[in-house]
């Protein structure tokens, strides 16, 4: 039995089919026979949600979605990161052994820094260009004026961008991986299922563990492993690219029926006519989504329709079939969520129960940590 943990941020826009098939359900399967926990990383979401009410609501919404999917009797411990009081204290203690140079390497921080530096470099280039043109005699007054104007406009945009970056590049961006390390090692977790974008954070966690153990000359923390499920194929979105929030091509699991229908109906498909044979189903976005959610028999039946002529079957019909399969597939989750929404006190009670377990676990570990570092 392994101790497994993962975290999800509560930054709004609810779960989509890609998350469900690529992360949420696989985590549920990994959890079987293990000691598994999943938490809503509201402390990690603080920087992108700068409004208390919104963050609170979004955090609860995510908790409800996980409860709806795993079921209220799930053996998985579902908790809110901020309910565990000692987690930020542990983060502070870990900060003490975390080299600055390690944090400097973080992708999240480097991206921010590079964008800002790029914006400033662009601004300087424009200023130089501006000066060079003003002194030149080769261009007419009108051309010079229009260049002047566009340089002025762009200067303002870039300046604003640079300001934005310097305001938003705060210590949270820098310290993010240390809090993440605390989230994992504070409960002695060994395995962490995450997406590929989190691999570096897990490496940093291991570096922090080594630094701590070396500094204090004891094996206080264990090094966790990232579990990356390479076998999970990316679920396509409505435009055929990987389904993702950032492409706005996703089908939300808990969206209302109208939106669900709209999304399914706007899946990009071929243009063959109803009586024509369709192109290769394996290259069709509708079919590729359908086969994930339909039974093997339904999938074969749809394939036959794609390959037949003169049966009055078009892509619109295929979308309607997909919609009906999806509606059935998602029904239990959606109903469970509705029920939980009606009973927030029940959800809070469940979260409190789980928070109690995790608080006790962290407290036990913190007893050892504080003894070792000398702050008890
Ligand atoms: P998004 O791309 O929508 O921002 P995230 O990066 O938040 O999604 O992904 C959270 C988890 O869901 C990750 O573990 C990721 O591997 C999984 N996931 C996201 N989109 C897909 C997809 N289209 N197919 C399979 N898994 C996905
Ligand atoms: N950083 C993760 C993300 O962006 C969320 C997260 C926070 C996390 N703490 C964690 C994931 C601990 C795994 C373990 O998705």
């Amino acid at each position: 039995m392994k101790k497994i943990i993962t975290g999800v941020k509560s930054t709004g826009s609810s779960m989509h089919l890609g998350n469900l098939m690529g992360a949420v359900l696989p985590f549920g399967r990994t959890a079987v026979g293990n000691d598994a926990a999943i938490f809503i990383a509201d402390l990690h979401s603080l920087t992108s949600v700068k409004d208390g009410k919104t963050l609170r609501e979004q955090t609860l919404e995510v908790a409800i979605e996980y409860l709806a999917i795993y079921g209220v009797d799930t053996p998985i411990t579902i908790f809110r990161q901020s309910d565990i009081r000692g987690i930020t204290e542990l983060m502070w203690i870990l900060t003490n052994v975390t080299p600055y140079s390690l944090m400097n390497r973080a992708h999240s921080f480097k991206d921010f820094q590079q964008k800002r530096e790029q914006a400033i470099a662009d601004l300087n280039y424009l200023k130089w260009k501006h000066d060079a043109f003003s002194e030149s005699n080769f261009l007419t007054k009108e051309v010079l004026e229009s260049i002047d104007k566009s340089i002025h406009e762009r200067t303002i945009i870039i300046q604003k961008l640079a300001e934005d970056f310097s305001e938003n590049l705060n210590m949270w961006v820098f310290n993010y991986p240390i809090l993440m390390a605390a989230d994992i090692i504070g409960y002695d977790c060994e395995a962490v299922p995450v997406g590929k974008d989190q691999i570096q954070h897990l490496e940093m966690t291991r570096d922090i563990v080594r630094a701590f153990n070396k500094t204090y000359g004891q094996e206080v923390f264990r090094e966790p492993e990232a579990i990356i499920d390479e076998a999970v194929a990316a679920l396509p979105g409505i435009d055929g690219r990987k389904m993702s929030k950032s492409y706005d091509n996703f089908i939300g699991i808990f969206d209302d029926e109208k939106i669900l229908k709209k999304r399914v109906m706007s899946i990009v498909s071929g243009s063959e006519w109803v009586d024509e044979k369709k192109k290769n189903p394996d290259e069709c976005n509708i079919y590729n989504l359908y086969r994930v959610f339909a039974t093997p028999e339904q999938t074969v039946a749809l394939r036959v329709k794609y390959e037949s002529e003169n049966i009055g079957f078009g892509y619109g019909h295929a979308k309607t079939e997909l919609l009906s399969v999806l509606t059935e597939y998602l029904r239990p989750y959606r109903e469970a969520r509705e029920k939980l929404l009606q009973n927030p006190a029940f959800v809070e009670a469940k979260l409190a129960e789980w928070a109690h377990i995790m608080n006790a676990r962290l407290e036990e570990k913190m007893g050892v940590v504080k003894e070792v570092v000398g702050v008890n």
Side-chain angles (χ1 to χ4, degrees), residues 215-235:
T215 306
Y216 292 99
Q218 299 177 45
E219 292 292 305
V220 176
F221 293 112
R222 63 165 83 179
E223 288 182 37
E225 289 299 325
I227 306 182
I228 313 280
D229 197 345
E230 300 283 356
V232 174
L235 194 80

Side-chain angles (χ1 to χ4, degrees), residues 10-16 19 58 61-62 65 245 250 255:
S10 44
T11 38
S13 85
S14 60
M15 205 184 276
H16 58 66
N19 301 140
Q58 287 178 0
E61 169 64 30
V62 178
E65 292 180 4
K245 265 168 248 146
F250 60 90
D255 284 344

Side-chain angles (χ1 to χ4, degrees), residues 238 248-251 259-267:
I238 59 176
D248 195 20
N249 65 351
F250 60 90
I251 298 178
I259 297 181
L260 188 67
K261 185 169 175 190
K262 210 175 132 205
R263 287 286 193 170
V264 171
M265 291 305 162
S266 52
I267 295 176

Side-chain angles (χ1 to χ4, degrees), residues 16 18-19 21-23 194-197 232-236 242-246:
H16 58 66
N19 301 140
M21 305 313 284
V194 279
K196 290 200 183 83
D197 60 327
V232 174
L235 194 80
K242 174 183 181 260
M243 187 175 287
S244 171
K245 265 168 248 146
S246 34

